[in-house]
Amino acid sequence: MGRRFRLYPTRAQERSLTGWGHATRALWNVALAQRVHVYEQRGRTLRAVEQCKYLTAARADPDLAWLAELPAQAGQQVLRHLDRAYDNFFNPQHPAVFPTFKKRGHRLAVPLPGQAVEVRKLNRHWAEVRLPKIGWVRFRLSRALGGAIRNVTVSRDGVGWHISFGVATGIKPATPNGKPGCGVDFGVASSAYVSTENTPRIKPAGLAGRERDRLLCLRQRMGRQITYAKKFSGGRYSNRLRRTITALAKLKAREANRRADFTHKLTTDLAKNHGFVGIEDLRVTNMTASAKGSWEQQGRNVRQKTGLNRSVLDNCPGERRRQLEYKCWLYGSELRPVPPFHTSQTCGNPACGRVDPASRQGGGRSFACVHCGHEDDADHNASVEIEARARRTGGSVTNSTRRRHTVPSPAPWRRRMREAQPVTHG
């Protein structure tokens, strides 16, 4: 399980953590570039065990002082994470794509193993953690750790620094709670409509009116400052531009935190109070694909499709599914994804169940069956149909969100893994 806390480093500690964050990003890029080069030249894939030897030699190089300042455990964790990214890519059941390079604006994060840190409690609300090379750092103890620490990640967002602990709690799957099930329709107009409820659950706006105005103002100011920097400063960012970027990041982080708060409350309530939760097995990547088209054949309604994509991603259906998967396991319920085809065009009346696009004239918020006359809110009708499918099928068998539908042969991968010859350059 994960435990995330707000971290309060001193100025000197913050400078060290910032340098470590950029060092881990650069190490990821170098290690990935080395793997790609070796595969193109030698036809085999490096792994973390072999790259750790090169890392040890590189840390002794005086020209790579930035790499020596990074704790050795953090560098090894970066290489292990790259191993996991490769494994996820080669797993046909996982939606991950090939690992990509991280640009400088990427989120700063420093991974560490659990053996490299030590935690001690100061009082009821505060504790501190000992990090390699910088010593003890205070963090807000908002909840108990609840287990043995396996790994640690120190990260920074627009709000500030945070520390995440991966702990082994020893929790076993809960027994079935025996409560009635439900179906949930995740949408845009209605963030979530539960089949057993009469009103939808609406996600509050991420930013208030004045906050949205300030966000627009900051974006315009940043655009003007970037244009000035490119024209008169050779692209070098000024201190004012950096302050604008920091203020913009704080607003976006505030919006993300409010979105995450609603998502966690929604998924916890669904998993706790229902025996099973039926959802649509959506392909979010395909749903939010761009409509720009190609150079020869331009897309249509590009701006409208862009706004729809933003609304879909703002409701984060993929993150809701991820949270339901482990929360249902904790609270004794079951997640049942069902095929999403024609759920909005199927009559929710058990005596009818006919599929007809004419029942959704104009794609409005109301559903009126042209066969039996059943009338209902369109999203609630879809949630009732989702619940009915979850009861009949017990959940879909395949995961339709995966991007590769063919299973690659593992034999070439195993042959490359068995090779242990050192890489020679020259």
Side-chain angles (χ1 to χ4, degrees), residues 190-202 377 379-380 383:
S190 301
S191 299
Y193 214 129
V194 186
S195 59
T196 57
E197 300 176 0
N198 298 323
T199 56
R201 303 192 186 188
I202 306 298
D377 183 270
D379 295 328
H380 182 262
S383 66

Side-chain angles (χ1 to χ4, degrees), residues 182-401:
C182 72
V184 187
D185 179 62
F186 296 141
V188 175
S190 301
S191 299
Y193 214 129
V194 186
S195 59
T196 57
E197 300 176 0
N198 298 323
T199 56
R201 303 192 186 188
I202 306 298
K203 184 181 74 67
L207 295 175
R210 303 190 70 173
E211 291 174 330
R212 289 196 298 269
D213 295 341
R214 175 166 172 76
L215 180 65
L216 177 61
C217 177
L218 288 173
R219 283 176 171 170
Q220 293 173 345
R221 182 189 304 173
M222 185 181 68
R224 293 193 299 268
Q225 292 172 340
I226 290 178
T227 302
Y228 183 89
K230 291 180 178 179
K231 188 174 182 180
F232 298 103
S233 303
R236 184 171 57 87
Y237 282 15
S238 64
N239 291 333
R240 289 185 177 181
L241 175 55
R242 296 185 187 279
R243 286 196 293 268
T244 303
I245 294 175
T246 301
L248 187 62
K250 287 183 179 180
L251 273 180
K252 297 301 293 182
R254 186 182 306 170
E255 181 182 16
N257 290 340
R258 292 172 181 172
R259 182 191 305 115
D261 178 72
F262 173 81
T263 303
H264 275 287
K265 290 178 179 178
L266 171 66
T267 54
T268 301
D269 178 74
L270 292 175
K272 267 188 175 181
N273 301 319
H274 300 91
F276 70 85
V277 181
I279 63 172
E280 292 179 309
D281 192 6
L282 299 175
R283 300 185 183 184
V284 183
T285 303
N286 296 346
M287 291 171 53
T288 57
S290 175
K292 292 182 179 180
S294 61
W295 178 262
E296 295 80 8
Q297 185 176 1
Q298 300 295 325
R300 295 183 300 176
N301 298 328
V302 176
R303 182 168 298 181
Q304 293 84 341
K305 184 62 167 62
T306 302
L308 177 61
N309 292 346
R310 290 174 180 172
S311 301
V312 172
L313 294 176
D314 185 59
N315 283 278
C316 50
E319 175 64 14
R320 293 178 182 179
R321 173 171 179 168
R322 186 194 70 84
Q323 293 183 12
L324 283 172
E325 286 178 351
Y326 76 86
K327 290 182 180 181
C328 289
W329 182 83
L330 288 175
Y331 296 115
S333 55
E334 182 185 358
L335 178 63
R336 298 182 180 180
V338 300
F341 309 111
H342 306 303
T343 54
S344 61
Q345 301 175 0
T346 304
C347 180
N349 184 7
C352 179
R354 301 281 292 274
V355 180
D356 197 329
S359 301
R360 286 287 307 277
Q361 289 292 342
R365 295 294 93 206
S366 61
F367 179 91
C369 182
V370 296
H371 300 279
C372 68
H374 173 69
E375 295 184 0
D376 195 359
D377 183 270
D379 295 328
H380 182 262
N381 180 82
S383 66
V384 172
E385 173 61 21
I386 293 171
E387 179 186 356
R389 294 185 183 184
R391 290 184 183 278
R392 291 195 302 266
T393 65
S396 60
V397 179
T398 61
N399 179 12
S400 64
T401 60

Side-chain angles (χ1 to χ4, degrees), residues 47-259:
R47 298 292 285 183
V49 175
E50 187 174 355
Q51 284 189 308
C52 282
K53 300 177 183 178
Y54 304 138
L55 176 63
T56 303
R59 288 172 58 85
D61 191 341
D63 296 333
L64 300 175
W66 59 271
L67 194 57
E69 294 176 358
L70 181 69
Q73 303 95 323
Q76 294 167 2
Q77 283 291 96
V78 171
L79 299 180
R80 296 190 187 102
H81 288 179
L82 189 56
D83 272 0
R84 186 171 60 184
Y86 265 74
D87 294 339
N88 291 339
F89 171 70
F90 282 102
N91 181 8
Q93 302 297 330
H94 201 283
V97 297
F98 189 78
T100 58
F101 295 96
K102 298 180 181 180
K103 58 183 179 180
R104 184 175 178 82
H106 194 271
R107 181 180 70 100
L108 295 182
V110 182
L112 291 166
Q115 300 84 351
V117 302
E118 180 183 351
V119 177
R120 65 186 182 189
K121 186 176 180 180
L122 300 178
N123 52 48
R124 182 179 177 184
H125 299 292
W126 290 93
E128 58 183 2
V129 56
R130 184 181 58 81
L131 299 177
K133 293 192 175 185
I134 63 174
W136 296 95
V137 186
R138 288 163 58 91
F139 67 91
R140 184 72 173 178
L141 190 64
S142 55
R143 63 183 302 184
L145 284 175
I149 301 175
R150 299 304 187 196
N151 54 75
V152 179
T153 302
V154 181
S155 60
R156 188 186 70 180
D157 59 10
V159 176
W161 289 92
H162 295 83
I163 184 166
S164 302
F165 297 96
V167 297
T169 59
I171 299 177
K172 297 181 180 180
T175 58
N177 54 29
K179 297 180 180 180
C182 72
V184 187
D185 179 62
F186 296 141
V188 175
S190 301
S191 299
Y193 214 129
V194 186
S195 59
T196 57
E197 300 176 0
N198 298 323
T199 56
R201 303 192 186 188
I202 306 298
K203 184 181 74 67
L207 295 175
R210 303 190 70 173
E211 291 174 330
R212 289 196 298 269
D213 295 341
R214 175 166 172 76
L215 180 65
L216 177 61
C217 177
L218 288 173
R219 283 176 171 170
Q220 293 173 345
R221 182 189 304 173
M222 185 181 68
R224 293 193 299 268
Q225 292 172 340
I226 290 178
T227 302
Y228 183 89
K230 291 180 178 179
K231 188 174 182 180
F232 298 103
S233 303
R236 184 171 57 87
Y237 282 15
S238 64
N239 291 333
R240 289 185 177 181
L241 175 55
R242 296 185 187 279
R243 286 196 293 268
T244 303
I245 294 175
T246 301
L248 187 62
K250 287 183 179 180
L251 273 180
K252 297 301 293 182
R254 186 182 306 170
E255 181 182 16
N257 290 340
R258 292 172 181 172
R259 182 191 305 115

